[in-house]
Amino acid sequence: MAELRHPPGTFDVMPAESGPWQSVVTTFAGVVASAGYGLILTPTFEDIGVFQRIGESTDVVRKEMYDFLDKGQRHVALRPEQTASVVRAFIQHRPTTPWKAWYAGSQFRFERPQAGRYREFHQVGIEAFGSADPDLDVEVVALGWEFYRAMGIHRMELLVNSLGDAACRPSYRQLLVDYLNSRHDELCDEHRDRIADNPLRVLDCKRPECRSVTASAPRQVDHLCADCAAHFARVTEGLAALSIPFTMQPTLVRGLDYYTRTTFEYAGTALESAQNALGGGGRYDGLVAAMGGPDTPAVGFALGVERILLALTAEAVTPRPVALLDAFVVDFSGGAAARDLTARLRAAGLRVDRSFDARSPKAQFKAADRSGARLALIVGPDEAAAGTVALKDLQNVGEQVSVPSELVVGEVTRRLI
RNA sequence: GUGGCCGUAGCUCAGUCGGUUAGAGCGCCAGGUUGUGGCCCUGGAGGUCGGGGGUUCGAGUCCCCUCGGUCACCCCA
């Protein structure tokens, strides 16, 4: 049992299963590149202060932070999400706005793992800084929508809400606090004592007790100031104009305290509710300033890679596996000929593998077959003497032809078309 | 943090009432075929039965502890 294994809540993606992972990232990169987003890489860990700005009353900060003291006694944390890191980078480097960035990478939250939820998980996302234009909210939401469509996910609904801003949130918040206090005894244990702490969070509690209370709670959308109302109207108008269906969800507050105005979530309808959040995001006009930067509006989203893969499975959308190899070289003369031929073919841009250890012909052909290569290229004493390479089609029956050695690259290329 | 379920070969699993040398299928390797894959046949390698302790003449099987996995609750990705 002293066997080494990955830590709890983490996993390996072996080459045989990594195809869908690759397609998530390449598809996402293509979609966001079409709108001018550039790739950003930030550290996997940051000073814990970076993430504490997410909000002291959020679960992410209160109980899910994967933090520790390093050898220099610095209190650091593995990033639980990437928006805070991107904001920190924005403030540190002060790029000119509008500024658009996308990312892909690991996130960490220290909690008990279960289906679709891990201690190390993966997200792709975008962040756009420097504009409060509601059309930018629409662009961001639309890019996520387009990405899911490109992945082949259709059983999904888009939930949207507006949380207001500094002008209208406080008065609404008080309204909500008063309401919740009036029905204090009916709430679930966890939220009964947190009304003053973070009343909005009560809205997305899934427990029946809280649900029956929040069903008739005052809604932020009914108490928006004129600016927020106009902003939200323009967002919904834009989504309609782009033919993106959405559902108004007045209780959608999401787990992070920094959101203002627009919030949204892509919910997979083919998945269990415990892990149906495929992705989500919103506007966070106050976060940059709160973290010490210039007053800068921003909006973005993060999409969960594991959830995307779950949804693909649930919808039975299996991305077609791609062949890893064009050709497999079989050598009956010891290996030197295979060494030289694979090098030539690879230099010509072909994907080629071979056997090692001078294995038997049967074993080499078996390996060629398992590799999925389209062609087997055979070199041995006979071919060496004649200056040729035998070329065999592994996917159709039988056919084997002899090609002059110097013409092999051209012949292989021709046959792959 | 709390709770349910599960740990036997690389994988999926069987293993009766506690009984002698722990099995199957798939996969892997080799041979059948001195230079030809898939199908077939034959053979082989591969196990601390998660770990420790206990009961017993005897434990994969029963008991205790422990480690790991998995699922759920809250919340999220």
Side-chain angles (χ1 to χ4, degrees):
Chain A
M1 224 300 292
E3 187 178 328
L4 299 172
R5 53 175 4 268
H6 60 245
T10 66
F11 54 86
D12 303 308
V13 181
M14 300 297 278
E17 298 109 45
S18 61
W21 288 79
Q22 270 187 300
S23 83
V24 165
V25 177
T26 56
T27 301
F28 188 75
V31 169
V32 297
S34 77
Y37 289 75
L39 176 65
I40 182 172
L41 285 78
T42 63
T44 303
F45 61 92
E46 301 262 6
D47 185 287
I48 194 166
V50 170
F51 305 120
Q52 283 169 336
R53 308 298 178 85
I54 292 169
E56 291 290 354
S57 65
T58 64
D59 282 0
V60 169
V61 172
R62 290 170 75 234
K63 57 181 189 182
E64 295 172 3
M65 202 82 89
Y66 205 133
D67 65 317
F68 54 93
L69 290 177
D70 70 10
K71 289 179 179 176
Q73 298 306 114
R74 285 175 288 254
H75 192 180
V76 298
L78 301 177
R79 62 184 179 211
E81 56 123 40
Q82 233 164 129
T83 300
S85 291
V86 175
V87 169
R88 194 227 79 229
F90 173 83
I91 293 168
Q92 183 174 336
H93 301 282
R94 301 292 173 95
T96 54
T97 56
W99 184 71
K100 295 171 164 185
W102 73 275
Y103 58 79
S106 290
Q107 259 59 244
F108 304 83
R109 290 183 198 172
F110 198 87
E111 57 182 341
R112 287 279 287 272
Q114 62 181 278
R117 177 181 313 175
Y118 303 93
R119 285 187 175 174
E120 177 174 10
F121 61 103
H122 301 79
Q123 291 181 334
V124 293
I126 60 175
E127 313 291 349
F129 293 75
S131 170
D133 191 330
D135 286 358
L136 182 58
D137 304 38
V138 173
E139 171 179 297
V140 167
V141 173
L143 285 170
W145 184 262
E146 189 184 332
F147 163 72
Y148 287 115
R149 280 292 137 89
M151 287 303 299
I153 292 174
H154 292 87
R155 296 176 61 186
M156 172 181 77
E157 65 176 335
L158 171 62
L159 310 174
V160 300
N161 190 26
S162 176
L163 296 179
D165 64 6
C168 53
R169 181 107 63 107
S171 56
Y172 165 71
R173 183 187 160 111
Q174 190 53 53
L175 212 55
L176 181 62
V177 168
D178 292 345
Y179 171 79
L180 293 175
N181 279 331
S182 76
R183 302 186 60 174
H184 177 273
D185 295 343
E186 301 170 52
L187 296 171
C188 75
D189 294 343
E190 187 177 347
H191 289 117
R192 197 172 303 134
D193 303 322
R194 295 195 55 200
I195 296 174
D197 187 21
N198 192 343
L200 294 184
R201 258 184 56 89
V202 181
L203 293 177
D204 62 10
C205 180
K206 288 176 182 170
R207 292 205 175 93
E209 311 94 277
C210 285
R211 274 292 160 87
S212 61
V213 173
T214 54
S216 43
R219 314 176 337 161
Q220 175 74 70
V221 282
D222 297 329
H223 301 274
L224 295 174
C225 59
D227 286 350
C228 284
H231 184 99
F232 193 52
R234 176 78 180 190
V235 169
T236 54
E237 174 200 321
L239 292 175
L242 297 184
S243 302
I244 296 174
F246 62 90
T247 303
M248 271 298 303
Q249 176 120 85
T251 57
L252 181 70
V253 301
R254 305 198 40 76
L256 306 166
D257 287 352
Y258 53 61
Y259 286 125
T260 56
R261 293 189 168 173
T262 314
T263 55
F264 56 95
E265 184 169 307
Y266 306 96
T269 51
L271 296 172
E272 297 298 320
S273 70
Q275 58 261 355
N276 73 346
L278 299 180
R283 183 165 273 289
Y284 46 96
D285 291 343
L287 184 59
V288 176
M291 288 180 67
D295 198 4
T296 307
V299 56
F301 67 58
L303 315 181
V305 178
E306 287 80 4
R307 297 291 168 82
I308 292 162
L309 266 24
L310 272 181
L312 288 174
T313 303
E315 293 196 38
V317 179
T318 322
R320 193 178 49 183
V322 288
L324 294 172
L325 293 178
D326 297 320
F328 196 98
V329 176
V330 173
D331 185 344
F332 303 142
S333 55
R339 176 195 64 206
D340 300 342
L341 182 57
T342 52
R344 266 177 63 205
L345 294 163
R346 289 170 183 166
L350 294 164
R351 300 170 302 173
V352 184
D353 200 3
R354 52 164 292 200
S355 285
F356 293 91
D357 304 308
R359 303 229 286 152
S360 73
K362 179 175 178 167
Q364 291 193 54
F365 272 99
K366 197 167 182 174
D369 187 44
R370 301 286 154 83
S371 77
R374 174 78 174 281
L375 301 168
L377 303 181
I378 304 144
V379 290
D382 296 351
E383 286 76 14
T388 61
V389 171
L391 188 154
K392 177 174 177 172
D393 191 319
L394 289 170
Q395 284 166 26
N396 299 313
V397 222
E399 188 192 359
Q400 185 166 326
V401 297
S402 193
V403 179
S405 185
E406 64 274 16
L407 301 180
V408 167
V409 170
E411 181 62 17
V412 170
T413 305
R414 190 182 69 74
R415 281 168 175 269
L416 290 173
I417 296 167

